[in-house]
Amino acid sequence: MIRQRDAGVVLINVLVILSIASIVVFLMLTSQDVSLRRAQSMAAATAADALARGAEASAVTALRRDMINAPDTDNYAEPWAQVAQQEAGLSTGRFSVRIRDAQAKLNLTRLAGGAQVEVEALLRVLAELEISRADGIRIAAEIAGRPGLKNLSELRSISAETINALSPFVDFLPATATLNLNTAAPLLLRAVLNNRSAALRLESMRGSAGLLTPKDLERVGAVQPALTGFTSQNFDIDILAEVDDIVVNLHSRIARQQSFAGQSVVVTRRAYGVSLNTVPMIPQM
């Protein structure tokens, strides 16, 4: 009887030990599985970021080449604009590239100087959008009174609805950046030229030739405003790179710069999933 009782205790102990061993093995396998998934996710994130950075580098190269080969014009018919890639499916995910001229928008930074020509241009943009002139006056006053504004969302004097309406047409850019007549929206052409007939003719000419020149303005009897030009030094690129369900949304600002050392094309801002103007500038060597 005692031996049978002892045998029962031993069996229970064996079963307990086997249960504990099973739990330990399960935890080890689970831990390994989690570690494996983590390693796979890290590898996918690295690959997606590398894909995005490669697209960014391609844009820098294209803009550097354009700076040498076609310094007198920047327009969307040029090779640098062909860096764009519509969203395409890859074996591991998705990939797309959008590149645009940052100077296709009216530069609000220039309002800090208080020049009336800049203020009037903004007021005409608002008029095109059927936004009250009073909002424009408030915007100009706030920018002049709050140096260092970098983002539309920082404006306190107007509603979020007005900011959303303005955002496709205005931005805070480096103070020297002028509006590129080759890439500006038709609404901006009408606003800055203050000559609807000439703007419509120029829009038609640009649509046919892909670009405008100073002679085109002469042909339609328009005077080129001081806040405009035909070239750009600032470009924005938006990249989506997905690898194994890991998505990277990279936004970069690329600038052409002139210095005593010569010409250069550099990335001045880089943001992941947020607005470019909300991140600090990248220090340049």
Side-chain angles (χ1 to χ4, degrees), residues 167-270:
S167 60
F169 306 104
V170 303
D171 200 356
F172 287 91
L173 299 168
T176 57
T178 54
L179 178 71
N180 187 344
L181 295 175
N182 282 316
T183 56
L187 180 150
L188 289 173
L189 283 181
R190 297 193 297 270
V192 298
L193 292 173
N194 198 23
N195 184 330
R196 183 171 292 270
S197 174
L200 289 173
R201 291 177 62 190
L202 288 171
E203 182 186 344
S204 176
M205 294 164 68
R206 187 177 65 176
S208 298
L211 75 162
L212 294 173
T213 67
K215 288 186 177 179
D216 292 327
L217 268 69
E218 293 178 8
R219 291 190 185 99
V220 300
V223 177
Q224 180 184 340
L227 55 81
T228 66
F230 298 92
T231 61
S232 297
Q233 307 305 324
N234 300 275
F235 302 83
D236 290 341
I237 183 167
D238 303 313
I239 304 162
L240 179 148
E242 179 184 12
V243 175
D244 294 340
D245 296 327
I246 301 298
V247 178
V248 168
N249 285 292
L250 175 62
H251 310 291
S252 304
R253 177 155 294 163
I254 302 171
R256 293 166 169 163
Q257 298 179 342
Q258 298 276 356
S259 69
F260 66 90
Q263 297 176 322
S264 62
V265 181
V266 298
V267 177
T268 59
R269 294 182 190 271
R270 186 180 288 119

